[in-house]
Amino acid sequence: MNPHPDPRYSRQMLLPGFGENGQRRLRQARVLLIGLGGLGSPIAMYLAAAGVGELRLADFDAVDLSNLHRQIVHDSTTVGRPKVDSAMTRLAALNPEVALVPLKGSATAARLPELIADVDLVIDACDNFATRFAINAACMDAGIPLVSGAAIGTEGQVSAFSGRPGGPCYQCLYPREVGEEEGCAVRGVLGPVVGIIGATQATEAIKILTGIGEPLFGRLLLLDALRMQWRSLTLPPDPDCPVCGGHG
């Protein structure tokens, strides 16, 4: 045992069940984060700060001034820059020990098998159903755990999917023909709400990677921020799900 653990991670290593073994697992982990907006900002910062070994950052967009009230990995000096570049600058300053891999462009169904190759976990922080469905299908095909979150207005949700046969997947939540949701440019969004959801996703990611606690596999958390109430719902697998229904 190393008598002089890295002080950067010393406070989380004090946690029961975490210790040096948990930190070692984080250091060896490869995580793909899709989306560097309101959700992806706190996720990226917390995972980098926690010492995840390799963080792959996927986003196609550029920083806009209207992003800054909630997308806290970016700032006024990076407006107009690709979000991947902006985030890498901030994360490298936060923790230079983390390997940052930039992945620009859209996470299309055709590209996803390449993006998720040899990763230990995928985190969905995107803002549209089409990409979420594609990410879910790719993770199920590869057997890779997925942490999914969404937020709009003053509400949000988080769940996690093991990628193993017998468990539910994201597709079990929604029919494929679901209508496209209105974005925050139409409905608005309270900045801290995406921060709460993103931080919860980061927590789930760390739990899955280190083996501590009980992940949200088979459960869906719903947040009503105006009442500051959480609801936890059981999420059973859908036997008719076109993605995971035949995996049971």
Side-chain angles (χ1 to χ4, degrees):
M1 179 177 292
N2 182 4
H4 303 292
D6 189 337
R8 180 187 294 272
Y9 312 115
S10 61
R11 298 302 186 267
Q12 64 192 28
M13 291 172 65
L14 290 172
L15 294 170
F18 198 104
E20 290 192 11
N21 189 50
Q23 195 60 51
R24 186 180 306 110
R25 289 183 178 183
L26 283 184
R27 186 172 63 249
Q28 295 171 346
R30 298 177 298 271
V31 175
L32 170 62
L33 172 59
I34 301 176
L36 291 168
L39 298 173
S41 288
I43 295 168
M45 293 173 72
Y46 275 121
L47 293 188
V52 167
E54 181 177 291
L55 196 53
R56 302 181 184 181
L57 306 170
D59 201 291
F60 68 92
D61 208 357
V63 180
D64 186 83
L65 188 61
S66 65
N67 301 151
L68 299 186
H69 88 287
R70 66 195 184 281
Q71 300 185 14
I72 57 174
V73 76
H74 313 297
D75 60 48
S76 298
T77 67
T78 63
V79 169
R81 292 181 62 194
K83 288 184 180 179
V84 168
D85 294 344
S86 171
M88 287 188 62
T89 299
R90 177 72 182 93
L91 298 175
L94 180 63
N95 189 352
E97 297 178 0
V98 176
L100 302 172
V101 180
L103 299 168
K104 297 180 183 179
S106 298
T108 62
R111 191 182 179 209
L112 276 164
E114 173 191 351
L115 295 181
I116 70 173
D118 73 10
V119 301
D120 301 293
L121 178 75
V122 175
I123 306 178
D124 175 5
C126 73
D127 62 359
N128 67 88
F129 278 118
T131 304
R132 292 182 191 130
F133 287 145
I135 293 169
N136 173 70
C139 286
M140 286 301 298
D141 284 344
I144 296 173
L146 168 66
V147 178
S148 177
I152 193 71
T154 57
E155 299 177 334
Q157 67 178 46
V158 186
S159 191
F161 307 97
S162 68
R164 303 190 189 102
C169 73
Y170 181 82
Q171 185 76 67
C172 295
L173 268 175
Y174 298 101
R176 174 63 84 167
E177 62 272 13
V178 66
E180 189 55 57
E181 59 190 332
E182 294 179 325
C184 59
V186 175
R187 295 181 53 189
V189 62
L190 189 63
V193 171
V194 290
I196 293 169
I197 298 299
T200 305
Q201 288 181 263
T203 301
E204 286 301 301
I206 291 171
K207 287 163 55 182
I208 293 168
L209 293 171
T210 61
I212 66 170
E214 298 180 7
L216 279 173
F217 296 152
R219 285 190 293 150
L220 175 68
L221 286 185
L222 299 171
L223 171 66
D224 177 351
L226 288 185
R227 297 183 180 183
M228 201 47 72
Q229 292 181 343
W230 287 94
R231 286 192 297 153
S232 179
L233 306 178
T234 300
L235 179 61
D238 179 358
D240 297 320
C241 175
V243 176
C244 71
H247 290 260

